Each structure stands twice: as C-alpha cells, then as structure tokens.
Amino acid sequence: NASSSDYYGCSVAIYNDTIAVGAYGENGNRGAVYIYTRSGGTWTEYGTIIRSNDIAISDLFGISVTINNNEMVFCGASGIDAVYTFEKIGSDWTQIQKIEPSQSANSYGVSVACSGNRLVVGASSTGSIGNAYVYIYHSGTWNEEKLLDANTGSLDGHVGIKNNIITVSSKNKNSNTGSVYVYVYKNKQWVEYQELTASDATSDTWF
C-alpha cells in the first residue's frame, strides 16, 4: 500500500529471520512499521503492519526501529517523543509498552538500539544538550537505568549498543566537525570511555 511521501525504508533492522522496515511518513506522518520473515530463502511481508495504539498525525512512528530477537521490536516516534515496544504473541505483534523520557526531550526516539536486556534511545536535544537514555529489561518492563551525556560537547541522538559498549554521535561538535562518544559498563555503572574523531576531519563534515 505504498504511496508518495511514506518514506518507506527510513529505518531498517534485522535479526535472524525477521526484518523491520519503518515508514514514518505514512498516513499524514503517523507512521508504520512493516515486518518481513524469511522462509525457504524468500522474504515475505508478515500479515500485521505495526502501528501504535494511540497513533496521531506527525508522530513519525517508525523513524527508527530495532529488533531484540525474533519476538520483540522497538519503534521510535520522535514526533511524540516516545518508543513503542511490540512483542510477538502467537501470530500477532502486540504493543506491550510505551517508553517516554524521564525529562523533557526533543526528538526522543530518533534512534534506537538494543542488545540483550538493554535498550538505548537517542534524543537530539534535552533542554539544550542531547542525551541518550539507557533502559534495562526486568520483570517484563523496560526501566530507565542511566541518562548519558558528554563531558564535553553535546550528544545528538544517534546510538548503538553491543553487549557492554554504547556509542553515541555528536556530529555538531567543533563547528560540525563531529565526534562519537564511547561508553562502557564498568563497576555496575556506565562511564564515558573515549571520544572518537576522524583523522581528516574538517568543519561541516558532521562526522
């Protein structure tokens, strides 16, 4: 049912035999996420198109997606500053949680990443400085574990996670030269470990 300005493919994620594809522009920027499964070497659109229960115009649902396993999908909706969690129950994808920031944020959910029992959500601006929110899964619920910020510069919301390492972008730092901050989980807390920069970086490269 694709149409102009759906922005289908604005975000994609894969885990084993499941692919999630975001289309944040669908239906007046309400947004949707399409699920595909692989069988016999062929990818086929799954029967259910994922949409939030409280979807509204300009929510931008699906601007980001990530998959935690074949049975849990996270969908960012930066227009409403939320992330929706869907779980595969039987043959249906069911919304089980709406995650919102603990403090006022701008474009919360513009990026999401998950590894194991941790979820990271990017926000391009919290007040005047961007942040990344870390959540941990416990007793069926995602709970905020840590709000990450940078010792120098401002984070801008693009995140990644693998095991006990988180990366967050800061593309506007130093006249838009840009950098990436690396955080590690050490002694039961997340700490800023290193700042990465491009060896040939110049202003307005947005590394």
Side-chain angles (χ1 to χ4, degrees):
N1 65 342
S3 61
S4 61
S5 301
D6 278 358
Y7 298 104
Y8 173 92
C10 65
S11 59
V12 293
I14 185 171
Y15 188 94
N16 292 339
D17 294 326
T18 302
I19 291 177
V21 180
Y24 74 78
E26 184 181 286
N27 194 18
N29 289 334
R30 289 174 173 85
V33 171
Y34 295 79
I35 301 296
Y36 297 82
T37 57
R38 181 173 57 182
S39 177
T42 301
W43 292 96
T44 305
E45 184 178 333
Y46 198 77
T48 303
I49 299 174
I50 293 178
R51 297 183 176 91
S52 67
N53 292 340
D54 57 352
I55 197 167
I57 292 175
S58 300
D59 279 358
L60 305 181
F61 177 86
I63 196 168
S64 62
V65 294
T66 190
I67 304 175
N68 188 30
N69 49 50
N70 283 339
E71 298 181 349
M72 191 171 288
V73 174
F74 304 87
C75 309
S78 62
I80 195 176
D81 295 323
V83 171
Y84 294 84
T85 303
F86 292 81
E87 186 173 350
K88 190 177 181 182
I89 301 175
S91 60
D92 295 325
W93 288 94
T94 302
Q95 182 177 316
I96 60 172
Q97 188 175 352
K98 179 182 179 181
I99 305 171
E100 297 177 290
S102 57
Q103 62 185 56
S104 177
N106 183 41
S107 295
Y108 172 93
V110 70
S111 177
V112 290
C114 193
S115 179
N117 66 340
R118 283 191 170 89
L119 170 71
V120 185
V121 180
S124 63
S125 177
T126 302
S128 60
I129 299 176
N131 293 96
Y133 294 76
V134 185
Y135 298 86
I136 190 165
Y137 191 65
H138 179 70
S139 298
T141 302
W142 292 92
N143 302 292
E144 186 176 321
E145 178 185 32
K146 177 70 175 179
L147 177 63
L148 301 178
D149 54 20
N151 290 331
T152 60
S154 173
L155 306 178
D156 64 21
H158 296 281
V159 298
I161 182 173
K162 180 66 175 179
N163 298 330
N164 64 339
I165 300 174
I166 291 173
T167 55
V168 187
S169 66
S170 179
K171 68 179 186 297
N172 297 319
K173 187 176 180 181
N174 294 336
S175 300
N176 301 326
T177 298
S179 66
V180 172
Y181 289 88
V182 181
Y183 300 84
V184 298
Y185 191 69
K186 185 177 182 180
N187 297 326
K188 298 184 179 181
Q189 62 181 341
W190 289 99
V191 295
E192 185 179 318
Y193 179 75
Q194 188 175 353
E195 182 182 4
L196 307 180
T197 57
S199 59
D200 58 350
T202 60
S203 60
D204 295 327
T205 53
W206 288 284
F207 172 84

